[in-house]
Amino acid sequence: VMANFKGKSAFIIASFDEKAALECSISIADAIRAGDKKASQPDAGWQKIKFDHQIVAIGRCNRATTIYSEDIGLRRFAERLGMKALSTEELPENPASVQQKLDL
């Protein structure tokens, strides 16, 4: 799957590096300090919450402005941290699909 995105200017395959780890630890510390360690996902396990923090941290460190995910918890968390978050249902329609043919 990753091979499909390599070389595309709109995508960056980014790793959870030292910068993202620091961003993630700050995010988790802020959530704990605010009394919302589970990022308003009370039914989610801590492992899932940590992954959400990591995903958003990687995005923020790489100047991403939008998270695309089917995971509503991840989308809500990203939005709380000021990122735009969309599911596939919210993606804009392909302009070619609404293009009308002209009878010439």
Side-chain angles (χ1 to χ4, degrees), residues 33-95:
R33 217 176 354 269
D36 192 18
K37 175 181 163 182
K38 287 199 152 190
S40 298
Q41 298 181 67
D43 296 332
W46 178 235
Q47 192 66 34
K48 189 248 190 261
I49 301 300
K50 287 193 299 185
F51 280 127
D52 288 356
H53 279 277
Q54 290 173 355
I55 291 165
V56 172
I58 292 167
R60 290 175 63 150
C61 287
N62 288 281
R63 293 188 228 135
T65 57
T66 307
I67 294 282
Y68 299 94
S69 176
E70 294 305 304
D71 181 336
I72 192 165
L74 173 59
R75 289 195 317 266
R76 286 182 182 155
F77 178 63
E79 287 172 342
R80 286 181 46 202
L81 294 180
M83 295 181 81
K84 188 175 180 180
L86 300 171
S87 70
T88 53
E89 291 178 357
E90 298 170 301
L91 293 175
E93 197 171 326
N94 180 353

Side-chain angles (χ1 to χ4, degrees), residues 3-53:
N4 294 338
F5 295 107
K6 286 187 178 184
K8 307 287 186 196
S9 63
F11 295 96
I12 298 172
I13 306 299
S15 63
F16 187 65
D17 58 11
E18 289 180 16
K19 186 176 176 183
L22 180 59
E23 176 74 25
C24 182
S25 66
I26 292 168
S27 175
I28 291 171
D30 288 348
I32 291 170
R33 217 176 354 269
D36 192 18
K37 175 181 163 182
K38 287 199 152 190
S40 298
Q41 298 181 67
D43 296 332
W46 178 235
Q47 192 66 34
K48 189 248 190 261
I49 301 300
K50 287 193 299 185
F51 280 127
D52 288 356
H53 279 277

